[in-house]
Amino acid sequence: MPVISQDTTCQTVLTTFETTPGVAQDLMEALQAAYAEVISQQPGFISAALHINDAQTRIANYSQWERREDYQAMLRTEEMRKRNREINGMCKSFEPVMYDVEGVY
């Protein structure tokens, strides 16, 4: 489970997927499978959460990694490159962005 704290030294990655209601559930299932079967097994993985909006047009992903390099290495694995090509086909766009926690209230 994600723990959000200013004192953390982990890398936080927020990814937004723009999709359509007709494809949103397929995309969510592909993301859940990727986390269960591949991503959560990668070195440096800490936790993640997936969220979907009411209109089923956006999926948001919050993930935490021990280091930025761990996240980048996961993206470069052959399995994730293959899965990301499939995921990309279900999205209008998706963008992972790395963040630092600056405040928790």
Side-chain angles (χ1 to χ4, degrees):
M1 173 180 354
V3 175
I4 303 170
S5 169
Q6 273 182 263
D7 299 329
T8 188
T9 59
C10 69
Q11 178 65 64
T12 300
V13 182
L14 299 175
T15 307
T16 303
F17 301 84
E18 186 178 356
T19 190
T20 62
V23 178
Q25 197 55 49
D26 293 333
L27 175 56
M28 180 60 82
E29 289 171 7
L31 291 168
Q32 290 173 328
Y35 270 100
E37 299 165 10
V38 181
I39 300 171
S40 65
Q41 310 304 311
Q42 299 302 303
F45 174 81
I46 298 171
S47 66
L50 290 163
H51 311 263
I52 191 166
N53 71 337
D54 288 346
Q56 295 194 342
T57 56
R58 295 192 187 278
I59 293 175
N61 171 237
Y62 182 97
S63 66
Q64 295 175 320
W65 296 82
E66 289 179 13
R67 302 175 311 128
R68 170 183 293 251
E69 294 82 9
D70 295 328
Y71 174 75
Q72 292 169 328
M74 176 276 298
L75 290 176
R76 289 190 294 269
T77 65
E78 187 169 331
E79 180 64 24
M80 280 312 300
R81 289 175 55 217
K82 175 184 167 228
R83 287 180 187 245
N84 278 333
R85 283 190 294 274
E86 294 169 6
I87 288 167
N88 188 52
M90 292 184 258
C91 301
K92 293 179 182 178
S93 66
F94 76 93
E95 180 180 13
V97 180
M98 295 185 188
Y99 291 90
D100 294 319
V101 176
E102 290 293 321
V104 178
Y105 306 96

